[in-house]
Structures are given as structure tokens and as C-alpha cells.
Amino acid sequence: CSLQNEDVGVHGRVVLTKSEGKPALDVNAYLDHANIGNLGDYWPESVMSDNILAWLRRGLVGGRLERGRFQIHGDMDNWPFREGIGRFEALAEVSDVELDYVADWPVARGVDARLRFLGPSLDISGSIANLAGVPVYQVGAAIKNLKKPVLSVEYAARTDLPGFLGFVENSPLQEKINTDLSRFDFSGPAVTEGDMRFPLGDAEGEISIHGKAILEGGRFHEPGSGITLENIGGEVQYDQLGFSARGLNVTYRDHPAELALKATADSDEKFRADMNGEFDVRDVIPGFVLDSYSALSQIEGSTDWQVSLVVASDQPDEEAAPVLTINSGLEGVALKLPAPLRKRAGENWPLVLHYPLSEKDSLLHIELVDRVTLNFDLAEETGSPRSAAVGVGGGNPSLPPDGL
């Protein structure tokens, strides 16, 4: 028998044998072409579960079946042949498929793959040309039990940091993480691999993702502070709740440093980046601070610093803004100032710098703990100080009223 039309071309043999219950089938068929987007009416409803039929009909948006083979042999009372009594197998090679695999997730476009239905299972292997802008050069997917389908996917892709973050922004992960990373500039290559699990229909379980991204030569820039990190390298771990990394190698102003990142849905902080390294004091303290007070020109030396960029959880009716915090004990830095601010290089004097990177709050706070505090009100347009206050000893000095 054969069937030829614009949707599908199939020919083969079908033998139906009467038995005590359901009939026995012996089907061998070959497909020489098919328009995948029009296959909804051709799926064998008698041998597929409602969940799988609904997934195939909704998810297979378009593409071509280049060739395929379909075989059923056995008594249908034993369907779907879980114990090996009988055989169901379907093989297909497809190209340029558009697959809407799970609602609300980025559609996979340009899928070239080989599919194999065997008994109660489905296996897929191939590649994806475009998944939210990311080319996936290797993908393997499987549904082990078509009656209670759970789609498991393993993948590997070469992309860049904007492409990787673009996939996150165009998926339900963005709503869970709830962090707007578009305020930061990322660039550089990334290789990512991992696995995903999607229950289909009424199958039990929740969506889960586990993966890693390998960075090499990445770049991060925060426009508000002007901080630029280069040569970012290392491994970032991610899952359905967010991402994190420790011990990333970075370069800041030609000095090596170590970077940690975290953005997770179950944290009080929506995003946090901590950089630790040894830098010259003039590479960390804002230049206008050193230029505004001639006495500060006597500060010299390098020391260990922790530079943190934090986006806290949103407050009611207000989106959280990033805050830059810098901490150091200043060991190795000499302050050649009059007493009581004269400091030898070997002494530990804790310093804290706090600067909200928002349009509403432009107060730069610098404190040598229990010794001196500097507060600056910075102009939004230029970042230069409009007013300043200095306090010696403990306490937080108030800025002068506007106009003074």
C-alpha cells in the first residue's frame, strides 16, 4: 500500500491478523518525505498516549522529514511491548525543524536530528541552529516512558556571554531569577553544556536544569562606576534558580584578581559580584577624591582589596539599584598625613567605600573606620562632587543644604 500527497509520502505493507482480543499487527512502512508541520492528522492515535500526541501536534511547528521507517510487529494486547513481546520501532531523519518543545521556552529553530521510537521510548540526537540566538552543536533528548512522558535533554553549545544571557532572558528562568542584567555589559566567548528535564502533560515532577558555562577571555563593564574586568576565565555553574561561580580569573587595570558571582532566586541578593586582589590605592579610590584633597596625594602603596557589586532584593514599589562597596585593611599603604591620620604601611586601618549606582541616590561614602569619614554628593551627569562633608572620629557627617 502507499500514500502520496503534499504532506507525506509513505509506502509499505500492513498485515492485520485476528486474535482473541485486539488484532496482531505486522506493519513495515517507509517514508520518503513529509511536511512535519502538517503531520498532526497522521500520528497513530491507537498506539500513542494523549500526552505524546498533544506534544507532537503542538510542538512540531515545521520542517522536513527526509526519510523514515516505521515497524510494528506483535499482538496489540501486549502494546506497548514493554516486556519485549512484540516490537515497535520508528526511525526518522529530519531537517530544518521548528520545535516548540515546552510552552514559554525559546523555540528551537533549524533542528537537524535523528529520531528513534522504540517500544515505549523516544530518543533524539542532532543539532539546533538557533535556540534564542544560541547555536547548539550537540543535543540529545529522550523520553523513557511515552505513557508518562518526561523530556530529558543533554546539550552542548558554543556562544558568547550576551548569547548565553539572552537565552536566560527569553526563558522562564528570567522570571525566577528576577535580575535585570541588561544594565551591565558582557562580552567574550562561552562554551556551555548541561541537562534539562521537562515533565510533559500531566507527568509528575518539576522542570530542572543543571549546567556549566566555561568562560575564556570574557569582559564585564559596569557603566555607573566605570569598573571594567577583562580576561575573565573559569567555570560558571547554573540551574533553574540562577547561576554562581567562585575562583574566576580576571584582570583589573592590568592586575590579576579573583572573581566570584552569584544570582539566585533563593537569595536575599538578586546579584552579587566580589572581586579580590592586590591593587594600587590609586586604582581603587575614585580619582576626584584624591584630586580634591591635596593632602591625599601623600597616600601611596598597594594592598589587598575586596570590590563588591550587589543588587539587593526589590523593595515594595521600588526596583533595587546596584551598590558598589569596597573594603580594605590598607596594609601596605602609607598615609603621610598629619596626626592622627598618619599611618605606617604595615598597620591595619579598615577602609569602607559605599556608592549606590542609581540616578536617585548619588552619595559616595568613604570611611576610615573610627578615624575619618568623607561624604560626597555627586552630580548625575558628570559624577563630579556637588558638595562634600568631612567628619573626624566616629559618626557620619551631614552634607550641607542645597545651594551652600
Side-chain angles (χ1 to χ4, degrees):
C1 63
S2 65
L3 171 65
Q4 292 285 336
N5 58 36
E6 293 182 354
D7 296 332
V8 64
V10 57
H11 55 86
R13 182 190 68 181
V14 178
V15 177
L16 190 66
T17 304
K18 184 178 180 181
S19 64
E20 292 183 1
K22 296 179 181 179
L25 279 180
D26 187 0
V27 178
N28 280 281
Y30 177 80
L31 292 88
D32 55 31
H33 77 274
N35 183 332
I36 289 177
N38 294 339
L39 288 182
D41 293 333
Y42 296 90
W43 295 110
E45 295 185 3
S46 60
V47 298
M48 287 186 168
S49 71
D50 292 340
N51 283 341
I52 286 297
L53 286 170
W55 181 67
L56 291 170
R57 286 168 173 164
R58 186 195 66 81
L60 291 172
V61 180
R64 299 186 305 275
L65 186 147
E66 304 293 352
R67 62 189 63 84
R69 181 170 61 84
F70 179 78
Q71 180 187 56
I72 299 179
H73 179 75
D75 192 324
M76 296 308 292
D77 284 325
N78 299 319
W79 175 260
F81 309 138
R82 297 181 189 278
E83 305 301 325
I85 305 175
R87 183 175 183 83
F88 165 64
E89 183 178 21
L91 301 173
E93 294 181 14
V94 300
S95 63
D96 199 25
V97 172
E98 183 172 337
L99 177 62
D100 187 2
Y101 53 99
V102 177
D104 299 325
W105 285 77
V107 174
R109 294 182 168 87
V111 178
D112 294 336
R114 185 175 185 271
L115 290 74
R116 186 190 190 200
F117 288 90
L118 182 61
S121 66
L122 167 64
D123 288 285
I124 304 171
S125 61
S127 62
I128 303 172
N130 185 338
L131 184 63
V134 176
V136 182
Y137 67 85
Q138 181 177 318
V139 61
I143 298 176
K144 297 302 182 184
N145 184 349
L146 294 171
K147 187 176 180 65
K148 297 180 179 179
V150 176
L151 176 65
S152 299
V153 181
E154 295 181 349
Y155 58 90
R158 293 187 183 93
T159 181
D160 55 21
L161 280 171
F164 174 69
L165 294 173
F167 174 82
V168 173
E169 292 172 0
N170 286 281
S171 75
L173 295 175
Q174 177 63 34
E175 183 177 352
K176 281 195 172 185
I177 300 173
N178 194 27
T179 301
D180 181 13
L181 298 179
S182 65
R183 70 183 88 199
F184 310 125
D185 296 329
F186 296 89
S187 61
V191 176
T192 181
E193 60 183 46
D195 59 82
M196 301 186 288
R197 181 182 183 275
F198 300 98
L200 304 178
D202 56 2
E204 296 180 353
E206 297 182 354
I207 292 175
S208 65
I209 299 174
H210 297 89
K212 62 182 180 180
I214 308 298
L215 311 181
E216 184 175 353
R219 184 178 183 273
F220 168 86
H221 176 67
E222 200 293 305
S225 63
I227 289 178
T228 299
L229 306 182
E230 298 179 308
N231 302 316
I232 303 174
E235 183 176 299
V236 179
Q237 299 281 340
Y238 59 89
D239 59 22
Q240 68 275 11
L241 297 179
F243 63 86
S244 63
R246 302 185 68 85
L248 296 176
N249 298 316
V250 301
T251 301
Y252 174 67
R253 298 198 174 182
D254 297 325
H255 294 285
E258 189 173 279
L259 178 67
L261 299 172
K262 186 176 183 181
T264 58
D266 57 357
S267 173
D268 291 336
E269 298 169 338
K270 294 166 63 176
F271 176 77
R272 183 180 187 96
D274 294 311
M275 179 181 67
N276 290 274
E278 182 178 342
F279 311 111
D280 189 277
V281 66
R282 297 179 178 278
D283 289 331
V284 179
I285 301 298
F288 74 83
V289 176
L290 301 175
D291 296 339
S292 299
Y293 298 90
S294 58
L296 296 181
S297 64
Q298 303 302 312
I299 299 177
E300 58 184 32
S302 62
T303 187
D304 291 332
W305 299 86
Q306 182 179 72
V307 181
S308 300
L309 185 65
V310 177
V311 181
S313 297
D314 293 338
Q315 301 300 315
D317 302 324
E318 184 177 355
E319 182 179 0
V323 174
L324 179 68
T325 303
I326 299 176
N327 290 274
S328 177
L330 296 183
E331 294 182 2
V333 173
L335 303 183
K336 298 179 181 180
L337 302 174
L341 297 180
R342 178 174 292 274
K343 174 188 175 299
R344 292 187 295 272
E347 294 180 297
N348 184 300
W349 284 21
L351 177 140
V352 178
L353 181 150
H354 181 88
Y355 180 32
L357 303 174
S358 68
E359 297 180 356
K360 297 180 180 179
D361 192 350
S362 56
L363 177 66
L364 171 63
H365 174 87
I366 303 176
E367 181 181 4
L368 274 171
V369 177
D370 295 331
R371 289 181 169 87
V372 65
T373 302
L374 305 174
N375 285 333
F376 298 90
D377 180 21
L378 305 182
E380 295 177 10
E381 299 81 7
T382 64
S384 58
R386 293 178 294 198
S387 61
V390 180
V392 178
N396 190 22
S398 299
L399 291 165
D402 292 343
L404 294 181

